[in-house]
């Protein structure tokens, strides 16, 4: 059985374990140090304290993935734009769980009066994430070449954007 629910501080150890896989074995994150459970508890605690949307997916009681949205940039004029993050345990990919998590996250963001746009920064190549975000309506708006270096490779980053049409000023902002 699949359950999507808000993230809690008790999820931090499982989240750290999932993220560690991507840090140590892939180029989809530019982190190079495995997160400690303490550091992940700080990250999760900050997300919860600051009221950012953050969700986990449980499959038969096991934490299979997580997603959240956080401020994209720190300057005040960016305050209506959030950056999304999603990771699935490698044993639980290609089951539609990422879509379920992101659907929940997007709906939460859409319901907020202070959220106008979502941005996803995706390492290239990452076909699964690119396909997911495009299926959700995100559009590629930029690509930065060779901005990251990990495992002896230069890596590109593509930025994807989703404008949330229910935002009260969406029509006036364009």
């Amino acid at each position: 059985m699949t359950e999507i629910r808000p993230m809690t501080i008790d999820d931090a150890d499982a989240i750290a374990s999932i993220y560690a896989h991507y840090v140590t074995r892939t180029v989809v994150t530019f982190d190079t140090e495995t997160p400690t459970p303490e550091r992940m508890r700080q990250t999760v605690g900050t997300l919860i304290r600051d009221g950012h949307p953050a969700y986990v997916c449980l499959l038969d009681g096991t934490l299979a993935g997580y997603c959240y949205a956080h401020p994209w940039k720190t300057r005040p004029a960016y305050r209506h734009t959030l950056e999304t993050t999603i990771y699935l345990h490698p044993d639980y990919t290609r089951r539609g769980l990422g879509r379920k998590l992101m659907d929940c996250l997007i709906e939460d963001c859409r319901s907020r009066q202070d959220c106008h746009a979502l941005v996803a920064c995706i390492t290239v190549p990452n076909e699964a994430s690119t396909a997911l975000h495009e299926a959700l309506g995100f559009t590629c708006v930029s690509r930065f070449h060779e901005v990251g270096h990990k495992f002896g490779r230069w890596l590109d980053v593509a930025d994807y954007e989703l404008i949330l049409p229910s935002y009260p000023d969406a029509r006036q902002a364009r």
Side-chain angles (χ1 to χ4, degrees):
M1 184 171 114
T2 303
E3 175 189 2
I4 306 289
R5 64 161 171 77
M7 187 181 289
T8 70
I9 198 72
D10 293 333
D11 299 320
D13 289 353
I15 290 169
S17 177
I18 290 170
Y19 190 58
H21 165 81
Y22 290 94
V23 171
T24 61
R25 294 186 175 98
T26 77
V27 296
V28 302
T29 176
F30 286 179
D31 269 341
T32 58
E33 292 185 26
T34 305
T36 64
E38 295 78 25
R39 189 177 109 203
M40 194 56 74
R41 277 193 288 280
Q42 287 178 329
T43 299
V44 170
T46 299
L47 288 167
I48 294 167
R49 182 195 71 225
D50 292 348
H52 298 301
Y55 293 92
V56 295
C57 175
L58 296 145
L59 187 60
D60 298 324
T62 300
L63 199 143
Y66 65 95
C67 68
Y68 59 87
H70 57 91
W72 181 51
K73 303 248 184 200
T74 58
R75 306 247 163 135
Y78 292 116
R79 70 187 172 280
H80 300 292
T81 301
L82 298 176
E83 182 177 346
T84 63
T85 296
I86 179 168
Y87 288 96
L88 296 175
H89 187 286
D91 292 343
Y92 294 101
T93 60
R94 302 207 178 275
R95 298 184 189 196
L97 302 177
R99 175 72 186 237
K100 288 179 181 181
L101 273 166
M102 286 298 292
D103 280 342
C104 187
L105 183 75
I106 291 167
E107 283 310 308
D108 186 338
C109 292
R110 185 174 276 123
S111 73
R112 294 168 182 249
Q113 291 296 313
D114 62 346
C115 189
H116 176 67
L118 298 176
V119 173
C121 303
I122 301 173
T123 304
V124 178
N126 186 342
E127 293 85 6
S129 189
T130 298
L132 172 63
H133 285 85
E134 288 176 352
L136 291 164
F138 282 75
T139 304
C140 186
V141 294
S142 70
R143 181 165 173 162
F144 297 95
H145 299 277
E146 298 183 4
V147 294
H149 191 264
K150 188 174 179 183
F151 300 142
R153 295 172 52 191
W154 285 107
L155 301 161
D156 295 358
V157 172
D159 289 333
Y160 284 74
E161 175 187 56
L162 178 66
I163 301 297
L164 302 175
S166 66
Y167 185 84
D169 298 326
R171 290 184 205 147
Q172 297 164 348
R174 291 199 162 241

